[in-house]
Amino acid sequence: MIDEKPVVATTDEVVAELRKRPAFVMVSHVKPDGDTLGAGLALGIALKKLGKRVHYFQQDAVPRNLRFLPDTEFVSRDVPADLPADTLWVFGDMSDTARAGEFLPKLARENILDIDHHLGNSHFGALNYVLPHECSTGTCVVHLLRGLKVDIDKDIATCLLTTIMTDTGGFMHSNTTPEVLTLSAELMHLGANKEQITEEIFANKRLAALKLLGRALNEAQAEHDGRYIWSFVDEAMLAECGADGEDTEEIVNHLRSVEGVEVSALFKDYDGDIRVSLRSSGRVNVQAAASRLGGGGHFRASGLTFVGSLPDAVRAVDEALVAEGL
Ligand code: AMP
Ligand code: MN
Ligand code: MN
C-alpha cells in the first residue's frame, strides 16, 4: 500500500494563487467563532487592499460577541449571482466543506483554498494550507499576509488578535507559545484593540448566559472517579433562563476547570441533532474520540454532532473516550 502523505501547499504557492485570482469568497464554519470569522475577515480586508473583489459566506448570523469586528456587516449566506467563474473560495478553520453548512453552493475543487490548523483536516482544496502547529487559522493567515506584502493595519490586526485570543482561550491554553505572545505584541503595536477583544469575547456576558451556566453546572455528572465530567443544555433550560445557543460557549470550559477532571463534555440538545463539545486537560486526545463519532477538532478541544437521543449520545461519547484511554 502506498503511504499517501497529505500535500501541504507552501506559502509561496498560496500567495501566487491569491495574486492570480480576481475575486474571493471567504467561507467560515457554522456556529462561527472568533477564529473562523477573524481569519476570513483579516484575509478579506487585505485582499481588498490589493484591489480584489471579496465576499464573505457564512451560513449562520454573526454571533453578538463578534459583531465588533470590521466588515461583519458584509457577512451573508447569500452569494452574488455575478461572481466570475474563477472566483477562489477560501475556507478557514474547518476540516471539511460540510462544516460550512448546507447552504454552501456546490464548488469545483480547483476553486477551493483550504486554510486550517485542525489535526484531521481532509485536504479538500486544490491548495491545502494546513498548519496543525499554528495556534489559530488567523496565524496561518499571517504568513500569507507577509508573503503578499500587505500592510497589517489596525482592522486586520484586531481580526488576527481575535483569532489568537479565541483559540488560546485568552492566552491560557497550551498552544500559547512564546512566538504567539511575540506575534500578539506585534499586532498590538499595529493597533489591535486587545481591550475591546477581551471585553467583547471574554466579558460582556448576558445574565441569561450566567443563569444557564448555573443550570448546567447543577446537572453536571462526575464519572470515572471524577476524571470525566459532563452536562447538558436542552430547550427547556434555554427557555427557563431566557438564553440561546450563543450563551452555551463557556460551559464546557468551566466543567474542565474542576479539580481532577481530565475530560469534560457538554451535550447541546436543541436545534434538532445533539451537538457535543469536548475538552481535555492534555492526557486524553478528544480529537481522536470525536473522530470515532464523525466529529473532529484538536487534541484538547473537539466536537461532534450526534443523531439520536441524549442517553445514546452520552453512552456513545463515554465509549469513545474510554477507547481513547479515559
Ligand atoms: P466547540 O466545542 O464547538 O468549541 O468546538 C471545538 C473544536 O471542535 C473546534 O475546533 C471545532 O472546529 C471542532 N468541532 C466542533 N464541532 C465539530 C463537528 N461537528 N465536526 C467536526 N469538528 C467539530
Ligand atoms: Mn473554529
Ligand atoms: Mn481554530
Side-chain angles (χ1 to χ4, degrees), residues 154-289:
K154 147 170 128 353
D155 280 352
I156 296 174
T158 294
C159 293
L160 292 171
L161 189 58
T162 296
T163 73
I164 295 172
M165 290 177 64
T166 299
D167 276 20
T168 62
F171 305 116
M172 299 263 277
H173 300 335
S174 59
N175 55 359
T176 313
T177 59
E179 291 74 24
V180 166
L181 291 173
T182 302
L183 172 60
S184 300
E186 282 172 33
L187 293 171
M188 285 179 74
H189 282 301
L190 293 167
N193 194 340
K194 177 174 176 296
E195 203 175 321
Q196 186 183 27
I197 299 167
T198 307
E199 182 62 22
E200 296 282 353
I201 297 186
F202 298 100
N204 251 351
K205 297 289 176 219
R206 304 200 303 172
L207 180 58
L210 292 183
K211 287 187 176 168
L212 187 66
L213 171 63
R215 269 301 268 117
L217 293 181
N218 252 330
E219 302 290 342
Q221 310 265 346
E223 290 170 7
H224 298 284
D225 301 320
R227 286 179 289 111
Y228 174 49
I229 189 165
W230 65 271
S231 188
F232 67 95
V233 170
D234 62 14
E235 299 270 9
M237 289 156 79
L238 290 178
E240 208 179 294
C241 301
D244 63 25
E246 288 178 30
D247 298 311
T248 62
E249 284 290 299
E250 290 299 314
I251 299 172
V252 71
N253 299 323
H254 283 278
L255 293 170
R256 227 291 296 137
S257 70
V258 174
E259 187 181 28
V261 165
E262 293 185 339
V263 177
S264 66
L266 183 70
F267 295 80
K268 296 176 244 186
D269 186 7
Y270 48 81
D271 286 355
D273 299 334
I274 299 178
R275 278 173 303 107
V276 188
S277 289
L278 297 172
R279 298 291 183 268
S280 166
S281 61
R283 191 180 67 80
V284 177
N285 181 350
V286 291
Q287 185 263 339

Side-chain angles (χ1 to χ4, degrees), residues 35 93 117-118 136-137 167 298:
D35 188 25
D93 198 42
H117 67 137
H118 285 88
S136 70
T137 301
D167 276 20
H298 308 280

